[in-house]
Amino acid sequence: MTEFIQTLVSGLSLGSIYALIALGYTMVYGIAKMLNFAHGDIIMVGAYSVISTVALSTNIPGIVAVVVSIVVCAVLGVTIEFLAYRPLRKAPSLSVLITAIGVSYLLQNLALLIFGSQQKSFHLDFFDAIKPIYIGDVLINGITLITLVVTILIMIALTIFINGTRMGKAMRAVSEDKEAAELMGISVNKTITVTFAIGSILAAVASVFYGGAYKYIKPTTGSMPGIKAFTAAVFGGIGSIPGAMLGGVLLGVIEQFAKAYISTLWSDAIVFLVLVIVLVVKPTGLLGKKISEKV
């Protein structure tokens, strides 16, 4: 029983990181209707920003490094949207998808040139103060609890922002119909730029908790977590903020149980198999809604 609970806790830890990354994916897709496959690599850039800031001086507080990471990722996200995606606003979705993959490889190779292929140690001073919690024989990492709480708070904040603010309403209008939103005086470009900035800020936050959990970063760090987070967003219902949260947590739990009770070699295959089964049964994902279009 202890092993089962410990595996569940590990799954929640991994799943909360997937959920945090998936929130950025679903935010961009829900508004701009595009899959930003460079999102995982923005997480990698955020982690390297933290490492580089801390390396400047031992006296720099960790929270300053986090703020620098958030600013760098936000600027990078807006720049990518402006240079790579905005010119393709009316292009076929396949062109946008290929461009997103190209941006992903560009960021990876730039990181490889700048930082080298060796993995770098990730450390923030305030993580040292977070102590593990023991409940009986079950060990709960403090970072796990904080990541889960932060992810839930971000999900709630995003939901309130989308439903209750002027910009949030503009985002929903752009998501529904870009042309009609523009006719109503909404700046589509500004709205999508803000969306990318928010998604990139979420990537920076995810990079902090990912680095805190796994301790090491390399140029390809964001690739697999990014793919799995995208899977989590689809699993929960792409475009749904609570769906991204649910999908991420469930995906992490499934992966950890697959590793513990089946095989570490088969865990990724099992995760994607579950996704296929869910999409066959419910194509819109767990919390996704079917949208009818008038013809």
Side-chain angles (χ1 to χ4, degrees):
M1 187 63 181
T2 301
E3 182 184 354
F4 178 88
I5 297 174
Q6 190 68 67
T7 303
L8 179 61
V9 170
S10 299
L12 290 174
S13 174
L14 181 62
S16 58
I17 293 174
Y18 287 159
L20 196 51
I21 302 171
L23 285 172
Y25 261 119
T26 208
M27 184 79 182
V28 171
Y29 181 84
I31 308 303
K33 290 293 182 288
M34 64 160 291
L35 298 174
N36 181 22
F37 277 114
H39 187 72
D41 300 288
I42 294 176
I43 292 168
M44 174 268 295
V45 171
Y48 273 121
S49 299
V50 170
I51 292 171
S52 300
T53 305
V54 171
L56 292 175
S57 171
T58 54
N59 296 323
I60 295 178
I63 191 65
V64 173
V66 173
V67 171
V68 169
S69 175
I70 288 173
V71 172
V72 169
C73 287
V75 171
L76 178 61
V78 170
T79 302
I80 289 172
E81 190 278 327
F82 181 78
L83 295 178
Y85 300 143
R86 186 174 297 186
L88 301 175
R89 190 83 80 221
K90 296 182 180 180
S93 56
L94 182 60
S95 300
V96 180
L97 180 61
I98 293 171
T99 301
I101 295 172
V103 171
S104 173
Y105 280 113
L106 174 63
L107 293 177
Q108 286 182 31
N109 282 278
L110 284 175
L112 189 63
L113 287 171
I114 296 169
F115 299 103
S117 59
Q118 296 298 318
Q119 58 186 13
K120 305 287 186 181
S121 175
F122 185 100
H123 178 263
L124 285 171
D125 52 11
F126 54 78
F127 280 143
D128 295 335
I130 303 172
K131 303 300 181 184
I133 300 170
Y134 287 90
I135 301 177
D137 295 328
V138 178
L139 169 66
I140 302 177
N141 195 315
I143 296 177
T144 297
L145 289 177
I146 293 175
T147 306
L148 192 57
V149 169
V150 167
T151 305
I152 292 171
L153 290 176
I154 287 176
M155 180 195 72
I156 294 170
L158 283 177
T159 303
I160 294 172
F161 175 77
I162 293 295
N163 294 321
T165 66
R166 185 182 181 88
M167 178 55 71
K169 292 175 182 177
M171 288 177 174
R172 284 189 287 137
V174 170
S175 173
E176 188 72 28
D177 191 321
K178 291 184 179 65
E179 288 75 17
E182 203 158 20
L183 289 173
M184 296 300 293
I186 296 172
S187 173
V188 172
N189 286 335
K190 177 184 175 182
T191 303
I192 293 178
T193 297
V194 171
T195 302
F196 267 84
I198 293 172
S200 299
I201 288 170
L202 294 178
V205 176
S207 74
V208 172
F209 288 106
Y210 183 90
Y214 292 97
K215 308 300 183 186
Y216 292 98
I217 300 297
K218 57 184 179 180
T220 56
T221 285
S223 298
M224 187 53 73
I227 291 171
K228 289 184 178 177
F230 167 66
T231 303
V234 176
F235 188 18
I238 189 77
S240 167
I241 292 174
M245 175 76 190
L246 177 63
V249 170
L250 287 178
L251 203 72
V253 170
I254 291 168
E255 182 176 336
Q256 289 301 102
F257 272 101
K259 287 179 179 178
Y261 293 100
I262 301 175
S263 168
T264 55
L265 298 175
W266 284 91
S267 60
D268 288 346
I270 291 168
V271 164
F272 292 116
L273 177 62
V274 170
L275 172 68
V276 170
I277 293 171
V278 169
L279 292 181
V280 168
V281 176
K282 195 174 189 296
T284 55
L286 296 176
L287 299 184
K289 296 180 180 178
K290 188 175 182 179
I291 301 174
S292 301
E293 293 185 4
K294 295 181 179 180
V295 180

